[in-house]
Structures are given as C-alpha cells and as structure tokens.
Amino acid sequence: MLTNYWIYFYTLSKEQQLRQIAIIIVALLAINAICVFLTFLKTKYLDNTKSSLFQKFLKIL
C-alpha cells in the first residue's frame, strides 16, 4: 500500500506533491493534538477512588 502511494506521489506535479505533504502534516498534527488532549484529561481528572463512567474511560486510556 505504501509503495502504491509512493508511486502515485511521484507521478503528481510539484504543486500537488506539496499539497499532499501539507495534508499529511496537518493530519499528523491533528492526531498528535488529540493524543495530547486525552493525556491531559487522564492526568488531570483520573481519581482511583471514584468509579464513574468517565473514570473508567480514563483508566482504559
């Protein structure tokens, strides 16, 4: 799959290649921001003495 994308990527023009790279970077930054936010929630709100649904969700993370 990666090889097919790599071949497709090289057939694009330079402008389209830059656009594809920008899309990939934005997607990776969005995924990273979500992970940082979930880690923040876990460290701030995790309390082992409570057993609410939110606490169970944080323990799973």
Side-chain angles (χ1 to χ4, degrees), residues 37-46 58-61:
F37 178 69
L38 289 175
T39 304
F40 168 74
L41 284 178
K42 185 174 183 176
T43 58
K44 183 163 175 80
Y45 295 109
L46 185 61
L58 288 177
K59 287 178 187 175
I60 292 172
L61 291 177

Side-chain angles (χ1 to χ4, degrees), residues 17-60:
Q17 285 179 352
L18 291 175
R19 186 170 182 214
Q20 286 288 318
I21 291 172
I23 290 171
I24 292 170
I25 290 173
V26 168
L28 290 175
L29 287 174
I31 291 169
N32 192 21
I34 291 169
C35 290
V36 167
F37 178 69
L38 289 175
T39 304
F40 168 74
L41 284 178
K42 185 174 183 176
T43 58
K44 183 163 175 80
Y45 295 109
L46 185 61
D47 185 7
N48 291 329
T49 61
K50 296 181 181 177
S51 64
S52 68
L53 181 63
F54 184 63
Q55 292 296 320
K56 291 177 184 176
F57 172 73
L58 288 177
K59 287 178 187 175
I60 292 172

